[in-house]
C-alpha cells in the first residue's frame, strides 16, 4: 500500500460522490460513537456506503455504520458521515482523514465534528456535552500528524497555522443555541490519543495536569486536515463516562454507546441550531 493519499485519489473519491448527488453541501458533519442517529433525520437522503467508494477505508467498529448520508437538515444541504474511520483500526492518518479531504474537494466550507469522550474535568458527568474550545494533539506529538508526507499545495500551506483550530464565531453560536434549548454546555480542551485501550489512571492524571478536559480517540487529525484547507470547524464532545483517575471504576465501549442515547438529542439540537444560522 502506498503511504500517502494523492490529490488525484482524493479527487477520484470526491467525483464518485459528486456524480450521485444534486446538491452542494454547505457543511460536513462527522458523527461519533453512539451519535449516529442524527443521520437518520436527513431529508431527501442519498446514501453512499464507504465500501462503494474508491480509496475509501471501511469502518469496522461496532456501532459505526460506515456511509455518507447527503441531504438536508433544517433545510440546509449537508454531507453527514455516519461512522468515522479511527486510527486504531489500523488505517494510516491519510486514510483516517480522507473524508475531510473529500469534503474540501467537494467545496464544503464548514465541518461539524462530534465524538464520544471521557470526562477528565472533575465536574463533567456522563451525558454532558462539551464545546471543544481547543485540542491537544498527542498523536501528532508522537509523530502521527496527518499532514506528514508531501504537502498538498493546492489545498493549504506546508506549515499551517493552528492558533484557532475551532471557530470562535461558532463558539458564540453554540453557546446561544445551548442556552435557548436549556442545555448545559460544558467547554474545554479535547485531547486525542490513538487508543484503542482506554487510559490508565496515571495516563488520566497526566492528562488532567496538562490541562485536558475530555479525552478520546479521534477528531484531532480531522480538525488539523480541515484547518489545513481553511474550513471553519465546530467541535462537540459527548461525555460518555467519567475518567477514572483513581482506578476505582471500569470503562467499557457499551457504556460509551449507552451514554450516546442521552447525548444525541442535545447534540442534535445544537447542530440544528447552527445549521439554521449558517
Ligand atoms: N477515553 C478515551 N476515549 C473515549 C473515552 C475515554 O474514557 N470515552 C469515550 N471515548
Amino acid at each position: 500500500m502506498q503511504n500517502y493519499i494523492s490529490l488525484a485519489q482524493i479527487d477520484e473519491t470526491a467525483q464518485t460522490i459528486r456524480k450521485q448527488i444534486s446538491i452542494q453541501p454547505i457543511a460536513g458533519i462527522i458523527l461519533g460513537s453512539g451519535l449516529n442517529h442524527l443521520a437518520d433525520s436527513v431529508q431527501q437522503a442519498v446514501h453512499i456506503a464507504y465500501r462503494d467508494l474508491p480509496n475509501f477505508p471501511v469502518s469496522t467498529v461496532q456501532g459505526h455504520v460506515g456511509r455518507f448520508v447527503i441531504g438536508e437538515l433544517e433545510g440546509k444541504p449537508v454531507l453527514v458521515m455516519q461512522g468515522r474511520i479511527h486510527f486504531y483500526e489500523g488505517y494510516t492518518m491519510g486514510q483516517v482523514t480522507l473524508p475531510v479531504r473529500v469534503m474540501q474537494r467537494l467545496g464544503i466550507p464548514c465541518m461539524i465534528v462530534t465524538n464520544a469522550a471521557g470526562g477528565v474535568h472533575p465536574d463533567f458527568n456522563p451525558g454532558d456535552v462539551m464545546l471543544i474550545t481547543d485540542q491537544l494533539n498527542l498523536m501528532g506529538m508522537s509523530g502521527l500528524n496527518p499532514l506528514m508526507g508531501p504537502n498538498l499545495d493546492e489545498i493549504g500551506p506546508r506549515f499551517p497555522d493552528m492558533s484557532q483550530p475551532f471557530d470562535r464565531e461558532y463558539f458564540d453560536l453554540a453557546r446561544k443555541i445551548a442556552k435557548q434549548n436549556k442545555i448545559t454546555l460544558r467547554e474545554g480542551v479535547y485531547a486525542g490519543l490513538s487508543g484503542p485501550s482506554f487510559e490508565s489512571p496515571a495516563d488520566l492524571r497526566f492528562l488532567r495536569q496538562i490541562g485536558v478536559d475530555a479525552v478520546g480517540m479521534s477528531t484531532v487529525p480531522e480538525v488539523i486536515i480541515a484547518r489545513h484547507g481553511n474550513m471553519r470547524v465546530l467541535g462537540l464532545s459527548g461525555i460518555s463516562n467519567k475518567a477514572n483517575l483513581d482506578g476505582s471504576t471500569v470503562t467499557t465501549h457499551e457504556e460509551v454507546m449507552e451514554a450516546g442515547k442521552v447525548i444525541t438529542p442535545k447534540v442534535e439540537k445544537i447542530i440544528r441550531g447552527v445549521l439554521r444560522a449558517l
Side-chain angles (χ1 to χ4, degrees):
M1 187 187 61
Q2 113 196 37
N3 259 339
Y4 303 108
I5 293 176
S6 66
L7 194 61
Q9 287 175 307
I10 297 165
D11 283 341
E12 186 190 15
T13 313
Q15 266 311 106
T16 310
I17 295 172
R18 204 191 309 267
K19 279 190 206 132
Q20 297 177 57
I21 60 176
S22 55
I23 55 168
Q24 170 60 49
I26 60 161
I29 304 173
I30 304 180
L31 298 177
S33 303
L35 306 175
N36 273 323
H37 291 294
L38 180 60
D40 300 330
S41 324
V42 174
Q43 309 285 303
Q44 280 115 39
V46 172
H47 298 97
I48 304 176
Y50 300 158
R51 64 170 174 275
D52 295 332
L53 285 171
N55 310 310
F56 225 80
V58 176
S59 180
T60 58
V61 194
Q62 122 201 40
H64 287 258
V65 181
R67 62 184 184 181
F68 283 113
V69 183
I70 302 129
E72 290 188 358
L73 267 179
E74 295 297 316
K76 301 291 168 83
V78 293
L79 172 142
V80 182
M81 275 191 84
Q82 198 172 25
R84 64 142 63 75
I85 297 122
H86 292 88
F87 182 67
Y88 60 71
E89 292 172 78
Y91 298 112
T92 64
M93 279 290 172
Q95 289 176 306
V96 168
T97 55
L98 174 64
V100 185
R101 288 300 193 205
V102 168
M103 288 177 197
Q104 289 167 338
R105 297 307 271 180
L106 288 172
I108 301 176
C110 154
M111 180 173 88
I112 301 175
V113 58
T114 68
N115 57 54
V120 181
H121 190 293
D123 294 346
F124 290 4
N125 291 307
D128 282 350
V129 177
M130 184 188 89
L131 176 68
I132 309 176
T133 54
D134 204 350
Q135 69 178 16
L136 189 61
N137 183 12
L138 286 172
M139 299 187 232
M141 287 180 196
S142 54
L144 294 170
N145 193 301
L147 290 172
M148 280 171 66
N151 185 52
L152 299 179
D153 296 326
E154 295 84 348
I155 299 182
R158 170 78 291 188
F159 301 108
D161 172 64
M162 282 294 148
S163 61
Q164 196 176 154
F166 300 92
D167 192 277
R168 290 178 197 149
E169 279 179 36
Y170 291 171
F171 290 168
D172 292 336
L173 196 54
R175 287 174 188 133
K176 193 176 91 190
I177 294 156
K179 201 166 173 195
Q180 283 165 353
N181 287 282
K182 299 188 169 52
I183 295 166
T184 305
L185 187 61
R186 309 289 198 170
E187 297 191 11
V189 175
Y190 174 92
L193 274 62
S194 65
S197 48
F198 288 114
E199 300 71 38
S200 71
D203 288 333
L204 291 164
R205 289 194 298 271
F206 164 74
L207 293 174
R208 188 63 202 141
Q209 286 210 13
I210 60 173
V212 171
D213 299 297
V215 59
M217 306 173 189
S218 66
T219 304
V220 170
E222 289 121 304
V223 171
I224 290 173
I225 291 297
R227 292 302 297 144
H228 180 244
N230 216 21
M231 295 173 89
R232 297 176 70 181
V233 181
L234 172 72
L236 297 167
S237 284
I239 305 299
S240 51
N241 54 286
K242 233 175 145 64
N244 150 41
L245 274 72
D246 62 2
S248 62
T249 53
V250 172
T251 303
T252 65
H253 184 61
E254 288 66 35
E255 183 182 10
V256 173
M257 299 307 287
E258 195 57 34
K261 293 180 190 158
V262 184
I263 296 163
T264 301
K266 299 188 205 178
V267 167
E268 174 162 352
K269 282 200 184 95
I270 298 172
I271 291 179
R272 282 180 180 279
V274 169
L275 289 174
R276 275 198 300 274
L278 284 187

